[in-house]
Amino acid sequence: MILKPDDPRQFELTCRADIVKEEPLVGLIDRVVNNLDLNELYSRFSEAGRSFYDPSMQLKVLFFAYCDGVRASREIAKHISYDLRYRYFCGCLRPDFRTINRFRKDNLDLLGEYFAQIVLLCEESGLLDLSVLALDGTKLRANSSGRNGTRVGLVKVLRDSLQTDADIEEPDKVADNEDEQELLEVRTTVDRKFSDPDARYMKTSEGGKRLSYNSQIMVDKNQLIVLAEVGNNACDSVYLRGLLNKSKQLFGGRIGAVAADGGYCSGRNLQYAADEGVDLYLPLGKGEGRVPDEAFNRHAFKYDALRDVYICPAGKELRYSGLRNRNGLKSRRYSGSSRICGRCAVRLSCTRARYRRLEISDYYKFEQQMKTKMASRTGRVMSVLRRCLVEPVFGNIKFNLGFNRFRLRTLNKVRGEFYLICIAHNLKKMLNLLGNPLILSAFKDIIKNLSLIHISEPTRPLYISYAVFCL
């Protein structure tokens, strides 16, 4: 048998570009980063003193690592030593894990701008389809100990950490009198002394309440993430107006319909969408609260304007009983009576109280308009389309890219880390779209047109970089 000899000590001359030519993601990241505006990044490095690693090289390594599902700085440093794909960016240089970690930590605030530049690059390349934008959020666990314990144990830990007994009740008294909400506040206070001070307890898909952040994304029809946000408010509705504002600033009037789930529903959001002319598709929430049977929610009650009464599905009347002003929101209150509701055969399906009450706010007309809109054929299609567009993106981030928990702490750093994983998703999605021959054919025509256009706007570098990026 004749075998080809192999000697691991044999000297080789190789071209890094030839070695990774079967790895298109490497070339894509190389071209994308080369065409980003990195002036702010380079300005953070002094011309005096020792030489430093090229910031663009470190940024490429960071982007590729997150695309590869590698986020720990020590693991990235190991890959640089033996993985040819990482060595394509570094050459003979070997930045250690401290250098990688320091670079990421010091420049997290720039990642939002780079994310936006990549999104604009996708738009100029014809990869974005803004006819439908889908919005959703998910709770991602914080980098925290998530300490659990009994009420007595938690209060003891809190007492020891504060080194004072003056402001804390006795454990026995707390165990007897403290309700669930107070216990949750104590647990949050204790965990902040051990881990992330900005994280909050939120319900997660894993079950129970864990210290987490609320991560929001808006994707286009091609499942590219066009907007991303992270906050520590568990309520999704507080993020809607901010994301819609950013979408208008970034894309102007080029966006089409926006589809979100019921968690974003609030009267203020519905009025904002109507005032701003946003074509929003948003399922209505639970109204004034949960009812035993959803067939008896407040939208099932008919209003008689002549007599100013609401008529329930069983034909009973709820009469006007006064105004209510809560946190600046005015509502008209309508109530039944024990005599009428008590004798109703379907009362237990309508309410668990003695009689039914309704609160109709100033935003009720917008809710009724959205109810009609969502009941239409287009509304039903948009509801299904939203799930098909945005939920697989979170599936890709959590399972394929392995991002189900933040590694960094505090809100500003967590926001930068989330931009990193969103950039990684977009880069891999761009690679898939560029593999479409129809899109590549369209790119060639766009390149020819761009070469004939004189651009003096601030986005000029993006147009120029686009031509280089596609070649």
Side-chain angles (χ1 to χ4, degrees), residues 121-134:
L121 179 62
C122 290
E123 185 186 20
E124 300 302 335
S125 304
L127 297 179
L128 288 189
D129 185 347
L130 300 174
S131 59
V132 176
L133 297 179

Side-chain angles (χ1 to χ4, degrees), residues 210-271:
R210 301 174 183 269
L211 286 171
S212 307
Y213 286 96
N214 195 349
S215 306
Q216 306 283 320
I217 61 172
M218 183 180 285
V219 305
D220 77 329
K221 211 170 181 180
N222 291 329
Q223 295 184 325
L224 284 162
I225 302 174
V226 298
L227 289 173
E229 184 56 81
V230 178
N232 55 12
N233 193 321
C235 181
D236 288 337
S237 63
V238 301
Y239 301 99
L240 180 65
R241 279 172 286 175
L243 290 170
L244 291 179
N245 273 332
K246 289 182 180 179
S247 68
K248 293 181 64 176
Q249 294 172 5
L250 192 61
F251 304 111
R254 302 190 296 279
I255 63 173
V258 178
D261 68 9
Y264 296 90
C265 183
S266 73
R268 291 184 175 91
N269 287 343
L270 295 177
Q271 183 178 13

